[in-house]
Amino acid sequence: MKRIIFNLSAFCLGCLAFSQTHTSSVINKNPKSLFDPTPFAFSHTTSHDGEGQYVFISGQSGGEGLKHSLSADFRTQVKWSLKNLETVLSEYGLGVNDVLKITILIVDHDQEKLKIWTEEMHKTWKSHTFPASTLIPVPKLALDDMQIEVDAVAFSKKKIH
């Protein structure tokens, strides 16, 4: 049994080492047999093939500045949540096009909020190569006035320390 586990571990490490020798690139795929998600500001899948490091970003709210002021306006909070996401990414020398996956939590989600979210995503992802995305309607977030929270998984083509 120990030999099987050892061999399986060695095989997995070999696969990992092999996967790390390829050129880095983010790959977005939208199968032709599924609807085109681009107008809705997401891709069906994203992956990364190559050497580097994943960056997991905690949920960014629409809070403004160091005092984390929350506007009563949903669009303002969306803009700030995306700006806050970009600020975190920039700490790693990354941008929105390095994001593989986002999860969006929206309080009292409706079609108008979805329209606003989509419009602001198109402004932020100027290349229109969107990450994989999941939107989850929620009744409440961590703070009373929070209307949106966005977390992300990004990939850096180089190791980050």
Side-chain angles (χ1 to χ4, degrees):
M1 182 63 142
K2 287 181 183 178
R3 176 174 275 172
I4 291 171
I5 292 172
F6 176 78
N7 288 338
L8 182 58
S9 296
F11 174 75
C12 290
L13 285 173
C15 289
L16 179 62
F18 176 76
S19 72
Q20 297 298 309
T21 62
H22 298 307
T23 305
S24 297
S25 64
V26 173
I27 302 162
N28 297 71
K29 290 192 177 185
N30 293 309
K32 299 293 182 201
S33 60
L34 296 176
F35 75 95
D36 179 10
T38 307
F40 304 100
F42 74 96
S43 292
H44 284 295
T45 69
T46 57
S47 63
H48 190 278
D49 180 22
E51 188 174 334
Q53 183 175 357
Y54 287 96
V55 178
F56 297 88
I57 301 168
S58 295
Q60 299 300 304
S61 76
E64 300 177 40
L66 294 175
K67 292 188 179 189
H68 196 256
S69 302
L70 291 162
S71 170
D73 178 62
F74 180 72
R75 185 179 297 272
T76 300
Q77 284 201 29
V78 169
K79 288 179 179 182
W80 275 96
S81 68
L82 291 168
K83 181 178 172 28
N84 294 339
L85 176 62
E86 288 182 287
T87 298
V88 174
L89 288 166
S90 71
E91 284 291 310
Y92 292 92
L94 302 173
V96 294
N97 290 326
D98 297 303
V99 174
L100 299 175
K101 171 79 167 80
I102 58 173
T103 302
I104 308 100
L105 306 172
I106 296 179
V107 173
D108 299 327
H109 171 66
D110 60 23
Q111 292 306 300
E112 182 59 28
K113 288 181 177 179
L114 179 60
K115 179 179 181 254
I116 290 168
W117 169 255
T118 302
E119 289 170 357
E120 296 304 323
M121 278 289 291
H122 279 277
K123 291 176 188 174
T124 302
W125 264 262
K126 293 171 181 60
S127 68
H128 293 235
T129 48
F130 301 104
S133 173
T134 300
L135 189 154
I136 304 170
V138 295
K140 185 175 170 88
L141 289 166
L143 301 175
D144 287 340
D145 296 327
M146 280 177 64
Q147 297 182 51
I148 188 167
E149 186 170 0
V150 181
D151 75 28
V153 177
F155 193 85
S156 173
K157 295 175 186 172
K158 60 185 183 303
K159 290 285 187 183
I160 303 167
H161 300 287

